[in-house]
Amino acid sequence: MRVSPFIWIMSAKRANGQKTGLAPLILFEVGFFEHDTLRWKKQNAFTHQPYHVLQSIPDRIRWLRLQKGLTQQEAADLLCVGRSTYIDYEIGTIERFDLHVIHRMSEFYQVPMDDLLDKYNAFLMNGQGEQMKRWRMNLGYSCKAMGKYLGVATSNIIAWEKEEKIMTKKLWQRCFGFRKLKQ
């Protein structure tokens, strides 16, 4: 049996005050039903994956929420953040996490906080200043030499080490992550 992809909104047809039948008033395409079914299938398949195989932090956060059967709005309300902020955590558009929110997520979802931190945010949480200073000292550089090495102002090196300023994710990736600096 083929199901029509349209929904008709019908109106009673009248002639001389008598009902004579139904006449189509509005025609809606029901593509949204197919979209919802597809989304449900994707979510259902996603939640049946084991938590430990999920590599990305946004996937882990979404998985944990779906396991509890919560909407994004409900999760946002329970964690005391706006829905748009919660969505940003789930899709990965937030670079620098609010550690208070991650701590609340960790407690609410009953997972270690480290499970919800990427390497950059773990770097910030574990003391950016000490790690920067240790790296600079291991290289045998002064703050001025380190600034020249990284292509940043000496004042930035000093501020990062004192934790008065936060290193950007892009520079962190150059220093500690994915790109090697020229010697």
Side-chain angles (χ1 to χ4, degrees), residues 78-106:
L78 290 166
L79 296 168
C80 304
V81 296
R83 180 174 178 258
S84 62
T85 301
Y86 188 84
I87 290 170
D88 288 342
Y89 278 103
E90 274 197 11
I91 62 176
T93 57
I94 292 181
E95 267 190 9
R96 189 168 51 95
F97 298 165
D98 181 338
L99 294 179
H100 298 292
V101 173
I102 295 297
H103 182 71
R104 285 194 301 263
M105 275 187 201
S106 170

Side-chain angles (χ1 to χ4, degrees), residues 7-139:
I7 294 177
W8 288 95
I9 303 294
M10 306 299 276
S11 170
K13 192 174 179 183
R14 298 184 182 271
N16 298 331
Q18 301 286 327
K19 285 187 181 178
T20 59
L22 295 175
L25 195 65
I26 303 173
L27 176 68
F28 286 104
E29 188 169 350
V30 292
F32 62 90
F33 288 122
E34 294 167 8
H35 177 72
D36 285 347
T37 302
L38 181 61
R39 183 177 50 205
W40 181 84
K41 286 179 182 176
K42 283 181 182 176
Q43 283 183 353
N44 198 27
F46 178 76
T47 56
H48 282 82
Q49 291 180 347
Y51 175 77
H52 68 275
V53 302
L54 300 173
Q55 296 297 313
S56 77
I57 303 305
D59 283 348
R60 287 180 177 185
I61 293 170
R62 184 174 34 260
W63 188 93
L64 291 164
R65 175 182 59 81
L66 292 172
Q67 288 298 313
K68 291 221 180 240
L70 299 172
T71 65
Q72 290 172 329
Q73 183 65 57
E74 291 167 337
D77 291 344
L78 290 166
L79 296 168
C80 304
V81 296
R83 180 174 178 258
S84 62
T85 301
Y86 188 84
I87 290 170
D88 288 342
Y89 278 103
E90 274 197 11
I91 62 176
T93 57
I94 292 181
E95 267 190 9
R96 189 168 51 95
F97 298 165
D98 181 338
L99 294 179
H100 298 292
V101 173
I102 295 297
H103 182 71
R104 285 194 301 263
M105 275 187 201
S106 170
E107 287 180 346
F108 178 71
Y109 292 129
Q110 298 173 344
V111 294
M113 203 161 144
D114 290 343
D115 281 6
L116 302 177
L117 292 172
D118 59 9
K119 291 180 180 179
Y120 170 67
N121 283 285
F123 167 78
L124 296 177
M125 187 183 90
N126 294 324
Q128 154 196 290
E130 279 302 310
Q131 293 176 75
M132 278 295 300
K133 189 172 186 174
R134 192 170 41 248
W135 184 44
R136 179 177 61 78
M137 302 288 262
N138 286 340
L139 291 173

